[in-house]
Short mmCIF file of all heavy atoms in Angstrom, two decimals:
data_model
loop_
_atom_site.label_atom_id
_atom_site.label_comp_id
_atom_site.label_asym_id
_atom_site.label_seq_id
_atom_site.Cartn_x
_atom_site.Cartn_y
_atom_site.Cartn_z
N LYS A 19 -23.25 83.77 -6.08
CA LYS A 19 -22.32 83.55 -7.20
C LYS A 19 -21.77 84.86 -7.74
O LYS A 19 -20.59 84.94 -8.13
CB LYS A 19 -23.06 82.79 -8.30
CG LYS A 19 -22.18 82.29 -9.42
CD LYS A 19 -22.98 81.39 -10.37
CE LYS A 19 -22.08 80.82 -11.47
NZ LYS A 19 -22.82 79.88 -12.34
N GLN A 20 -22.60 85.88 -7.76
CA GLN A 20 -22.17 87.18 -8.30
C GLN A 20 -21.18 87.89 -7.39
O GLN A 20 -20.24 88.54 -7.86
CB GLN A 20 -23.40 88.06 -8.52
CG GLN A 20 -23.09 89.50 -8.95
CD GLN A 20 -24.34 90.31 -9.16
OE1 GLN A 20 -25.13 90.04 -10.08
NE2 GLN A 20 -24.56 91.32 -8.32
N GLU A 21 -21.37 87.79 -6.08
CA GLU A 21 -20.62 88.64 -5.14
C GLU A 21 -19.42 87.95 -4.48
O GLU A 21 -18.61 88.62 -3.85
CB GLU A 21 -21.56 89.16 -4.06
CG GLU A 21 -22.69 90.04 -4.58
CD GLU A 21 -22.19 91.31 -5.25
OE1 GLU A 21 -21.12 91.82 -4.86
OE2 GLU A 21 -22.86 91.78 -6.19
N ILE A 22 -19.32 86.63 -4.60
CA ILE A 22 -18.21 85.91 -3.96
C ILE A 22 -17.33 85.28 -5.03
O ILE A 22 -17.83 84.53 -5.88
CB ILE A 22 -18.73 84.82 -3.00
CG1 ILE A 22 -19.57 85.45 -1.88
CG2 ILE A 22 -17.57 84.03 -2.40
CD1 ILE A 22 -20.18 84.44 -0.92
N PRO A 23 -16.02 85.55 -5.02
CA PRO A 23 -15.12 84.93 -6.00
C PRO A 23 -15.14 83.40 -5.88
O PRO A 23 -15.15 82.87 -4.77
CB PRO A 23 -13.75 85.50 -5.63
CG PRO A 23 -14.04 86.75 -4.86
CD PRO A 23 -15.32 86.49 -4.14
N ASN A 24 -15.14 82.72 -7.00
CA ASN A 24 -15.21 81.26 -7.03
C ASN A 24 -13.81 80.65 -6.91
O ASN A 24 -13.33 79.94 -7.81
CB ASN A 24 -15.90 80.81 -8.33
CG ASN A 24 -16.16 79.32 -8.35
OD1 ASN A 24 -16.21 78.67 -7.31
ND2 ASN A 24 -16.28 78.76 -9.55
N GLU A 25 -13.16 80.92 -5.78
CA GLU A 25 -11.81 80.38 -5.55
C GLU A 25 -11.45 80.52 -4.08
O GLU A 25 -12.03 81.34 -3.34
CB GLU A 25 -10.79 81.14 -6.39
CG GLU A 25 -10.72 82.63 -6.07
CD GLU A 25 -9.74 83.39 -6.95
OE1 GLU A 25 -9.14 82.77 -7.84
OE2 GLU A 25 -9.57 84.60 -6.74
N GLY A 26 -10.52 79.72 -3.64
CA GLY A 26 -9.99 79.84 -2.29
C GLY A 26 -10.96 79.41 -1.20
O GLY A 26 -11.90 78.65 -1.43
N LYS A 27 -10.73 79.93 0.01
CA LYS A 27 -11.56 79.60 1.17
C LYS A 27 -12.67 80.63 1.36
O LYS A 27 -12.43 81.83 1.24
CB LYS A 27 -10.71 79.57 2.44
CG LYS A 27 -9.67 78.48 2.52
CD LYS A 27 -8.93 78.59 3.86
CE LYS A 27 -7.84 77.57 3.99
NZ LYS A 27 -7.10 77.73 5.28
N VAL A 28 -13.85 80.14 1.68
CA VAL A 28 -14.98 81.01 2.04
C VAL A 28 -15.50 80.55 3.39
O VAL A 28 -15.79 79.37 3.60
CB VAL A 28 -16.10 80.96 0.98
CG1 VAL A 28 -17.35 81.70 1.48
CG2 VAL A 28 -15.62 81.57 -0.33
N GLY A 29 -15.62 81.49 4.32
CA GLY A 29 -16.10 81.18 5.67
C GLY A 29 -17.62 81.17 5.72
O GLY A 29 -18.26 82.12 5.23
N VAL A 30 -18.19 80.12 6.29
CA VAL A 30 -19.63 80.04 6.54
C VAL A 30 -19.82 79.53 7.96
O VAL A 30 -18.89 79.04 8.60
CB VAL A 30 -20.35 79.11 5.54
CG1 VAL A 30 -20.25 79.66 4.12
CG2 VAL A 30 -19.81 77.69 5.61
N GLU A 31 -21.05 79.65 8.45
CA GLU A 31 -21.32 79.27 9.84
C GLU A 31 -21.80 77.82 9.91
O GLU A 31 -22.96 77.53 9.65
CB GLU A 31 -22.37 80.21 10.43
CG GLU A 31 -21.91 81.65 10.51
CD GLU A 31 -23.07 82.62 10.66
OE1 GLU A 31 -23.63 83.04 9.63
OE2 GLU A 31 -23.41 82.94 11.81
N PHE A 32 -20.91 76.93 10.31
CA PHE A 32 -21.25 75.52 10.39
C PHE A 32 -22.35 75.26 11.43
O PHE A 32 -23.09 74.29 11.32
CB PHE A 32 -20.02 74.68 10.74
CG PHE A 32 -19.05 74.49 9.59
CD1 PHE A 32 -19.25 75.11 8.36
CD2 PHE A 32 -17.94 73.68 9.75
CE1 PHE A 32 -18.35 74.92 7.31
CE2 PHE A 32 -17.04 73.48 8.71
CZ PHE A 32 -17.24 74.10 7.48
N ASP A 33 -22.43 76.12 12.44
CA ASP A 33 -23.43 75.91 13.49
C ASP A 33 -24.79 76.51 13.12
O ASP A 33 -25.74 76.46 13.90
CB ASP A 33 -22.96 76.49 14.83
CG ASP A 33 -22.67 77.98 14.78
OD1 ASP A 33 -22.72 78.57 13.67
OD2 ASP A 33 -22.39 78.57 15.84
N HIS A 34 -24.91 77.08 11.92
CA HIS A 34 -26.18 77.67 11.50
C HIS A 34 -26.65 77.16 10.15
O HIS A 34 -27.84 76.91 9.95
CB HIS A 34 -26.08 79.20 11.45
CG HIS A 34 -27.34 79.85 11.01
ND1 HIS A 34 -27.61 80.17 9.69
CD2 HIS A 34 -28.45 80.23 11.70
CE1 HIS A 34 -28.81 80.71 9.59
NE2 HIS A 34 -29.33 80.76 10.79
N MET A 35 -25.74 76.99 9.22
CA MET A 35 -26.12 76.65 7.84
C MET A 35 -26.58 75.19 7.76
O MET A 35 -25.84 74.28 8.14
CB MET A 35 -24.92 76.89 6.92
CG MET A 35 -25.23 76.70 5.45
SD MET A 35 -23.80 77.12 4.41
CE MET A 35 -23.90 78.91 4.37
N ASN A 36 -27.80 74.96 7.28
CA ASN A 36 -28.27 73.58 7.15
C ASN A 36 -27.70 72.93 5.89
O ASN A 36 -27.06 73.59 5.05
CB ASN A 36 -29.80 73.51 7.17
CG ASN A 36 -30.46 74.22 6.01
OD1 ASN A 36 -29.97 74.19 4.88
ND2 ASN A 36 -31.61 74.86 6.27
N LEU A 37 -27.92 71.64 5.75
CA LEU A 37 -27.29 70.88 4.66
C LEU A 37 -27.76 71.34 3.29
O LEU A 37 -26.98 71.38 2.33
CB LEU A 37 -27.58 69.39 4.84
CG LEU A 37 -26.87 68.71 6.03
CD1 LEU A 37 -27.33 67.27 6.16
CD2 LEU A 37 -25.35 68.77 5.86
N ASP A 38 -29.04 71.72 3.17
CA ASP A 38 -29.57 72.18 1.90
C ASP A 38 -28.87 73.45 1.44
O ASP A 38 -28.43 73.56 0.29
CB ASP A 38 -31.08 72.40 2.02
CG ASP A 38 -31.71 72.83 0.71
OD1 ASP A 38 -31.60 72.09 -0.28
OD2 ASP A 38 -32.32 73.92 0.68
N VAL A 39 -28.75 74.42 2.34
CA VAL A 39 -28.08 75.68 2.01
C VAL A 39 -26.60 75.43 1.73
O VAL A 39 -26.03 75.98 0.78
CB VAL A 39 -28.27 76.72 3.13
CG1 VAL A 39 -27.48 77.99 2.83
CG2 VAL A 39 -29.75 77.05 3.32
N PHE A 40 -25.97 74.59 2.54
CA PHE A 40 -24.55 74.27 2.36
C PHE A 40 -24.30 73.71 0.96
O PHE A 40 -23.37 74.11 0.27
CB PHE A 40 -24.12 73.26 3.43
CG PHE A 40 -22.64 73.04 3.51
CD1 PHE A 40 -21.85 73.84 4.31
CD2 PHE A 40 -22.05 72.01 2.79
CE1 PHE A 40 -20.47 73.62 4.40
CE2 PHE A 40 -20.68 71.79 2.87
CZ PHE A 40 -19.89 72.59 3.67
N LYS A 41 -25.18 72.79 0.51
CA LYS A 41 -25.03 72.19 -0.82
C LYS A 41 -25.22 73.23 -1.92
O LYS A 41 -24.46 73.27 -2.90
CB LYS A 41 -26.02 71.05 -1.01
CG LYS A 41 -25.90 70.34 -2.36
CD LYS A 41 -26.91 69.23 -2.50
CE LYS A 41 -26.73 68.50 -3.83
NZ LYS A 41 -26.81 69.40 -5.00
N LYS A 42 -26.23 74.08 -1.76
CA LYS A 42 -26.51 75.08 -2.80
C LYS A 42 -25.41 76.12 -2.90
O LYS A 42 -25.08 76.60 -4.00
CB LYS A 42 -27.87 75.73 -2.55
CG LYS A 42 -29.04 74.79 -2.85
CD LYS A 42 -30.38 75.47 -2.62
CE LYS A 42 -31.52 74.53 -3.00
NZ LYS A 42 -32.85 75.14 -2.79
N VAL A 43 -24.82 76.51 -1.77
CA VAL A 43 -23.67 77.42 -1.80
C VAL A 43 -22.50 76.74 -2.50
O VAL A 43 -21.81 77.34 -3.33
CB VAL A 43 -23.28 77.86 -0.38
CG1 VAL A 43 -21.94 78.60 -0.40
CG2 VAL A 43 -24.36 78.76 0.21
N GLY A 44 -22.30 75.45 -2.19
CA GLY A 44 -21.24 74.69 -2.86
C GLY A 44 -21.46 74.57 -4.35
O GLY A 44 -20.51 74.65 -5.15
N ASP A 45 -22.71 74.38 -4.75
CA ASP A 45 -23.03 74.30 -6.19
C ASP A 45 -22.80 75.65 -6.89
O ASP A 45 -22.36 75.69 -8.05
CB ASP A 45 -24.48 73.88 -6.39
CG ASP A 45 -24.73 72.42 -6.00
OD1 ASP A 45 -23.75 71.66 -5.86
OD2 ASP A 45 -25.91 72.06 -5.80
N ALA A 46 -23.11 76.75 -6.19
CA ALA A 46 -22.90 78.08 -6.76
C ALA A 46 -21.42 78.43 -6.87
O ALA A 46 -21.01 79.18 -7.77
CB ALA A 46 -23.63 79.13 -5.93
N LEU A 47 -20.61 77.87 -5.96
CA LEU A 47 -19.18 78.17 -5.91
C LEU A 47 -18.38 76.85 -5.89
O LEU A 47 -17.80 76.47 -4.87
CB LEU A 47 -18.86 79.00 -4.66
CG LEU A 47 -19.63 80.32 -4.49
CD1 LEU A 47 -19.42 80.90 -3.10
CD2 LEU A 47 -19.21 81.33 -5.56
N PRO A 48 -18.35 76.13 -7.01
CA PRO A 48 -17.76 74.78 -7.02
C PRO A 48 -16.26 74.73 -6.75
O PRO A 48 -15.75 73.68 -6.35
CB PRO A 48 -18.09 74.27 -8.43
CG PRO A 48 -18.30 75.49 -9.26
CD PRO A 48 -18.91 76.49 -8.34
N ASN A 49 -15.55 75.82 -6.96
CA ASN A 49 -14.09 75.82 -6.76
C ASN A 49 -13.68 76.33 -5.38
O ASN A 49 -12.50 76.48 -5.10
CB ASN A 49 -13.42 76.66 -7.84
CG ASN A 49 -13.66 76.11 -9.22
OD1 ASN A 49 -13.75 74.89 -9.41
ND2 ASN A 49 -13.77 76.99 -10.22
N VAL A 50 -14.66 76.57 -4.55
CA VAL A 50 -14.41 77.15 -3.22
C VAL A 50 -14.33 76.05 -2.17
O VAL A 50 -15.02 75.03 -2.25
CB VAL A 50 -15.54 78.15 -2.88
CG1 VAL A 50 -15.75 78.29 -1.39
CG2 VAL A 50 -15.23 79.52 -3.49
N HIS A 51 -13.47 76.25 -1.17
CA HIS A 51 -13.40 75.37 0.00
C HIS A 51 -14.10 76.07 1.16
O HIS A 51 -13.65 77.14 1.61
CB HIS A 51 -11.95 75.07 0.35
CG HIS A 51 -11.78 74.26 1.60
ND1 HIS A 51 -12.46 73.08 1.85
CD2 HIS A 51 -10.99 74.47 2.70
CE1 HIS A 51 -12.11 72.59 3.02
NE2 HIS A 51 -11.23 73.42 3.56
N LEU A 52 -15.23 75.52 1.63
CA LEU A 52 -16.00 76.14 2.70
C LEU A 52 -15.41 75.77 4.06
O LEU A 52 -15.19 74.59 4.36
CB LEU A 52 -17.47 75.71 2.64
CG LEU A 52 -18.23 76.10 1.36
CD1 LEU A 52 -19.65 75.56 1.39
CD2 LEU A 52 -18.23 77.61 1.17
N VAL A 53 -15.12 76.79 4.87
CA VAL A 53 -14.55 76.59 6.21
C VAL A 53 -15.44 77.28 7.24
O VAL A 53 -16.24 78.16 6.91
CB VAL A 53 -13.11 77.13 6.30
CG1 VAL A 53 -12.20 76.40 5.33
CG2 VAL A 53 -13.08 78.64 6.04
N ASP A 54 -15.28 76.90 8.50
CA ASP A 54 -16.16 77.44 9.55
C ASP A 54 -15.71 78.82 10.00
O ASP A 54 -14.54 79.05 10.27
CB ASP A 54 -16.18 76.50 10.76
CG ASP A 54 -17.12 77.01 11.85
OD1 ASP A 54 -18.26 77.41 11.50
OD2 ASP A 54 -16.72 77.05 13.03
N ILE A 55 -16.67 79.72 10.09
CA ILE A 55 -16.43 81.05 10.65
C ILE A 55 -17.28 81.27 11.90
O ILE A 55 -17.15 82.28 12.60
CB ILE A 55 -16.71 82.15 9.59
CG1 ILE A 55 -16.03 83.49 9.96
CG2 ILE A 55 -18.22 82.35 9.39
CD1 ILE A 55 -14.54 83.45 9.89
N GLY A 56 -18.18 80.30 12.23
CA GLY A 56 -19.08 80.46 13.37
C GLY A 56 -18.37 80.53 14.70
O GLY A 56 -18.63 81.43 15.51
N GLN A 57 -17.46 79.60 14.96
CA GLN A 57 -16.75 79.59 16.23
C GLN A 57 -15.83 80.80 16.41
O GLN A 57 -15.84 81.44 17.46
CB GLN A 57 -15.95 78.29 16.38
CG GLN A 57 -16.81 77.06 16.61
CD GLN A 57 -17.56 77.12 17.92
OE1 GLN A 57 -16.98 77.40 18.97
NE2 GLN A 57 -18.86 76.88 17.88
N PRO A 58 -15.02 81.16 15.41
CA PRO A 58 -14.17 82.35 15.57
C PRO A 58 -14.96 83.63 15.83
O PRO A 58 -14.57 84.45 16.66
CB PRO A 58 -13.41 82.43 14.23
CG PRO A 58 -13.41 81.03 13.71
CD PRO A 58 -14.71 80.45 14.14
N THR A 59 -16.09 83.81 15.11
CA THR A 59 -16.85 85.05 15.32
C THR A 59 -17.56 85.04 16.67
O THR A 59 -17.72 86.10 17.28
CB THR A 59 -17.86 85.27 14.18
OG1 THR A 59 -18.65 84.09 13.99
CG2 THR A 59 -17.16 85.63 12.89
N MET A 60 -17.96 83.87 17.15
CA MET A 60 -18.55 83.80 18.49
C MET A 60 -17.55 84.34 19.52
O MET A 60 -17.91 85.11 20.41
CB MET A 60 -18.95 82.37 18.85
CG MET A 60 -19.53 82.24 20.25
SD MET A 60 -19.69 80.53 20.81
CE MET A 60 -17.97 80.08 21.04
N LYS A 61 -16.30 83.95 19.39
CA LYS A 61 -15.28 84.41 20.34
C LYS A 61 -15.06 85.91 20.22
O LYS A 61 -14.82 86.60 21.22
CB LYS A 61 -13.98 83.64 20.12
CG LYS A 61 -14.09 82.17 20.53
CD LYS A 61 -12.84 81.38 20.20
CE LYS A 61 -13.01 79.92 20.58
NZ LYS A 61 -11.85 79.09 20.18
#
């Protein structure tokens, strides 16, 4: 919450982040839209 702005898109790894962590990140940043960064970084 301190280091990530609570707005816009934030990239997270859909192939790594479990549902519990995904929910808690969403709760910490309620105005953020979480998108996948796992596949692009793999490439």
